[in-house]
Amino acid sequence: MSSELSRNDCFFIAEGGEMGELTRTKNWSDTSLGNADNWPQSLKTSVNIILNTNFPMFLWWGPELICFYNDAYRVSLGVQGKHPAILGMKAEEAWPEIWPTIKPMIDKVLAGDGANWNEDSLIPIFRNGSIEDVYWTFSYSPAYDEECNVAGVLVTCTETTEKVGTLKKLQDSEERFRMMADNIPNLAGMAHADGAIYWYNSKWYEYTGTTPAEMEGWGWQSVHDQEKLPGVLAEWIDSIKTGHPFEMTFPLKGADGRIGQFLTRVLPLRNKDGIIHQWFGTNTDITKQLETENAVRTSEKRFREMIAQAPVAISVLRGENFVLESVNTKMLEIMGKAKEEIIDKPVFEAMPDAAGQGFEELLAGVYNTGKPFIGNEVLVSLVRNGKPEEVFLNFVYEPLYDNKNRIDGVMAVATEVTEQVLAKRKLQEGADRLKMVLESLPQMAWTTSPAGEATFFSDNWHLFTGQSKEAALGYGWTKALHPDYKDAALKAWQTALATGTPIEHEYKVLNSAGEARWMWVKGTPMKNDKGDILLWVGTVTDINERKIFATELEKQVSERTAELESKNNELGRTNKELESFAYIAGHDLQEPLRKIRIFSDQILEGESATLSAGGKDRFDRMQKAAKRMQTLIDDLLAYSRTTTAEKKFEYTDMNILASEVKEELREELKAKNAVLEIQSLCSLNIIPFQLRQVFYNLISNSIKFTPTDRNPRIDIKGRKIRGEDMDNKKLSSDRIYCHISITDNGIGFEDEYRHKIFELFQRLNGKAEYSGTGIGLAIVKKIIENHEGAITATSALDEGATFNIYLPADEQKITE
Amino acid sequence: MNNGLHNLLLADDDPDDCTFFEDALKASLVPATVHIVNDGLELMQYLKGPEDKLPEMLFLDLNMPKKSGFECLDEIKSNETFKHLPVIIFSTSPDRNNAESLSRSS
């Protein structure tokens, strides 16, 4: 019988590939199994099965556990290994390197424990020239014989080294991953593809104070702001669905109760087929960052506002093209452009009119060197509001730094000073013109600053004094003054400066030969519209001749005045002497008269019996003469007193005064049935007792000089007149006078005597007709003159007389 | 009072005025005698003399030599003994001021 197994035996080793061939062609009689024809059917079936399986399979049969395997398994044997040697070999011989490991498992199966299952187990195998660490997922299952005893072990296995390796790598990398994840400052977590979290790093648990059990799956929701949570969930679920990375910032509750803002990013991890198998996410605490951002934003906002409202023009230029990033209102005014026209454009593009004037270089300089630039009264040609203009600016370019301290822009701050510059120029022109005018004057001319220091002298000054231009400036000109006059001159100048009033002063100035000449200085402040003093301008005029003459004149005047004074004093003394003389004389003269009268009275009375008629008559005439003399002396005394008496002026109502005199003369008026009317007299500043005398004398006269054929009628009236209205030299034209007229209906006098009547001792009538000393009117006139007034008289014979008295009504002078 | 006659004193330097006074006194029919002194010194001497010679009334002229009426008046008014002596001033002075100052001082 052939040991070759026939192919036609359908129960035995049909096909089976290479191993099928090897198994069929092997001489099994050398083995404990013997000839294949004698194998039990169960063996044949088992071998058949494994040879025709594409899944790696191995069979140990019989007490010696003879090895059988298929093509699929053969791959695992590699090269330089057990293939094909182990076919038909005893298991122990075939697998020495792992026998200790697998024998127990085989024995278990043989013992009837049933199949085992090992996943990813490390079962090293000798192949490819060495022992390789190979991972297997395998199952040892019982192979039964006809008697239903376990006759062998069927191994269904597959190498999972790669998988394990991959898994291990994965695990390792996962391990590394988690270590890193624990060490990063962020919170981190990992989720399965369905979004269920399975891991958080330690930082998460530290921050949230939660436990893994609480967090697993979808537990993270508990640390979210419940209001924001729906939004977060929606996003997360969407990401899971679409596989798009998740990014969101939301608040998370910390264990200490604080709420932090976390920027969360979750990225999908895909396998090599692009399928998401996990999600890896981080939460970065950006609370501070947000705060800072907010603060920066706020401060930026405030900065922008400040710039916008600043009273100076400010603009910010960014980048080397100097793009106009911001421009405030004031700057727009200076530029004469609208914001929309220029914002966000490079500055010289926005303002072509400013180009080519050197600013490009200045800006570049500041941008590159970081050195600020300051420009004063710089002229810029601009087109403003459509019109070309020349503008003067004070400006500063300052470099701007970014947060890495690199220059990324320039800030320009400017004020327009066109007006001031033009004004200054105008002023200068004005000053120059002034100088020209001053030089042309015949006098010496000068200007000073508002503070008083000389800024200019015309040539005439330098010619006269010999001072150089420099020497005279400031207060150098004082050196040319005569020393006696320096202090006064400076004082007057300081006063003028302090009060801003024009100065006029005289002093002596020394010429180049050292001779002093009198100068008249006149200076005026020149002011602008606002009233500020811009400068002082003035002249110095030579008045030497005039001054000398004036001085001489003054000297003479004061001499004359002194003379006059001494003469006056003499006069005063003489008057005083006269006064006392008159007084005493009058008094002493009265005394003998008194005696004469008394004695003659006594004789007349006592001796009337013994006296003859002639004797009585003579005594009578003697008495009358004595009386006359007394009256004369009284009147003389009165006359002398009018000049020498104290001039005690009192403001008096003349109506009252006249009425008092009227009362005094009651008897005399009554005796002659006289009517005396007093009307509208003024109140005047007069010496009462003297004016009383005036009225007394005039009224007495009027009564006396009225003939018996009529009743005396006397009218006293008053009115105010102006001195200039009266043609009277004694009246001052600018004074107001009270004109008092006293009119009677007496005998009057010839007009030709109207002046004479006022002379001393003048009488127009004989003693027999009318008594009188002839002094009365002289006294009246003297009194009126004492009062700086005047008196006139008008009359015609037998037609009464009018006396016109003018007294100053001196409450006010005419001032128009 | 001596012999029922009033004792008067007149101080005046003018003999005529003295005569007038005596005449007036006689004409007045007042029972009185009058002693006359002619100047201020004499007046004071007389007053300072024996007490029983003290007059009841003094008529004093202001204008007197050696001592004026003013001075005498001052002295009299400041002297305890004479202070209460009634003094009648008479003067030829027309000056009101005198009268005023006199009335003020007495």
Side-chain angles (χ1 to χ4, degrees), chain A residues 162-195:
Chain A
E162 232 182 271
K163 178 176 154 228
V164 170
T166 311
L167 263 178
K168 197 148 198 314
K169 266 194 225 132
L170 209 59
Q171 265 175 13
D172 282 346
S173 78
E174 261 191 44
E175 201 51 51
R176 270 200 298 274
F177 199 63
R178 282 185 211 194
M179 225 166 55
M180 275 189 334
D182 267 345
N183 283 322
I184 57 177
N186 310 42
L187 281 50
M190 290 177 61
H192 297 301
D194 65 356

Side-chain angles (χ1 to χ4, degrees), chain A residues 73 170 427 452-453 475 639:
Chain A
Y73 185 81
L170 209 59
L427 212 62
E453 292 153 357
Y475 280 92
Y639 183 76

Side-chain angles (χ1 to χ4, degrees), chain A residues 587 591 594-595 598 602, chain B residues 14 16-17 20 23 92-93:
Chain A
H587 191 255
E591 184 259 320
R594 202 168 31 84
K595 305 277 173 62
I598 295 175
Q602 283 184 338
Chain B
D14 187 315
D16 295 328
D17 285 333
F20 293 146
D23 290 344
T92 51
S93 164

Side-chain angles (χ1 to χ4, degrees), chain A residues 486-522:
Chain A
K486 218 187 272 193
D487 288 336
L490 277 171
K491 193 148 174 278
W493 180 226
Q494 296 305 329
T495 310
L497 284 173
T499 58
T501 51
I503 181 174
E504 251 189 73
H505 197 66
E506 292 176 4
Y507 47 64
K508 282 191 177 171
V509 176
L510 304 169
N511 67 5
S512 47
E515 298 160 343
R517 288 183 74 79
W518 276 102
M519 298 287 166
W520 179 48
V521 178
K522 206 164 178 302

Side-chain angles (χ1 to χ4, degrees), chain A residues 173-240:
Chain A
S173 78
E174 261 191 44
E175 201 51 51
R176 270 200 298 274
F177 199 63
R178 282 185 211 194
M179 225 166 55
M180 275 189 334
D182 267 345
N183 283 322
I184 57 177
N186 310 42
L187 281 50
M190 290 177 61
H192 297 301
D194 65 356
I197 303 287
Y198 68 86
W199 174 86
Y200 274 118
N201 73 348
S202 52
K203 290 279 184 337
W204 171 276
Y205 295 112
E206 268 172 46
Y207 176 77
T208 60
T210 53
T211 65
E214 288 167 341
M215 290 293 107
E216 181 149 358
W218 296 78
W220 49 267
Q221 296 181 60
S222 66
V223 296
H224 272 248
D225 179 326
Q226 295 306 307
E227 277 182 24
K228 297 217 160 48
L229 185 55
V232 176
L233 265 174
E235 276 290 316
W236 178 225
I237 289 168
D238 184 69
S239 280
I240 297 167

